[in-house]
Amino acid sequence: TRRTGRLLLGAQRNRAGLRNRCEFARSTDSAGALDQRLAEDIRSLGFDSFSFEVLDLLEASLELTPAQVAADLATLEALWRERADPSLLY
C-alpha cells in the first residue's frame, strides 16, 4: 500500500487480466475480488491506498513451454522477494 509500504508480490502470466480484476474490484468496491490477504487493509485504508505496479517483465520466446514460462515467472518472483523487506510482505 502507499500508506504502509506493504507489498503483495506475485507472478502473473496474464497482466491485463490482473489489472482488469483490480479495476473491477475498485469500481465495485469489492475487496473480495482480490487476494484475500489484502481484504482487511482495503477495507480499513480504502482502494486509493493501493497501486498496481509491474516490477519486471519476462521476455518469453515461442520455444518455451508453458511449464518453462511458469518456472521462469516463479524465479523472477523469488528474486523480487529476496529484494523486499520480509516484514512488509503480505
Side-chain angles (χ1 to χ4, degrees), residues 57 66 73 80 88:
L57 293 172
L73 286 172
W80 278 101
L88 295 177

Side-chain angles (χ1 to χ4, degrees), residues 1-85:
T1 74
R2 293 181 199 143
R3 286 188 186 171
T4 66
R6 293 189 72 194
L7 305 166
L8 176 65
L9 294 174
Q12 179 62 253
R13 292 177 73 171
N14 183 354
R15 187 174 69 239
L18 180 58
R19 185 176 300 276
N20 288 339
R21 189 174 335 132
C22 291
E23 289 173 7
F24 172 79
R26 181 184 300 273
S27 71
T28 60
D29 197 30
S30 174
L34 300 174
D35 190 296
Q36 291 304 302
R37 293 172 286 181
L38 300 173
E40 185 177 329
D41 281 348
I42 289 172
R43 287 185 191 103
S44 65
L45 302 172
F47 277 103
D48 290 337
S49 295
F50 290 81
S51 63
F52 174 87
E53 296 179 39
V54 176
L55 300 176
D56 213 337
L57 293 172
L58 174 65
E59 294 295 327
S61 68
L62 295 175
E63 293 83 35
L64 294 176
T65 66
Q68 290 169 318
V69 171
D72 287 351
L73 286 172
T75 299
L76 274 177
E77 181 181 341
L79 290 171
W80 278 101
R81 286 185 182 284
E82 287 176 8
R83 295 177 191 171
D85 179 343

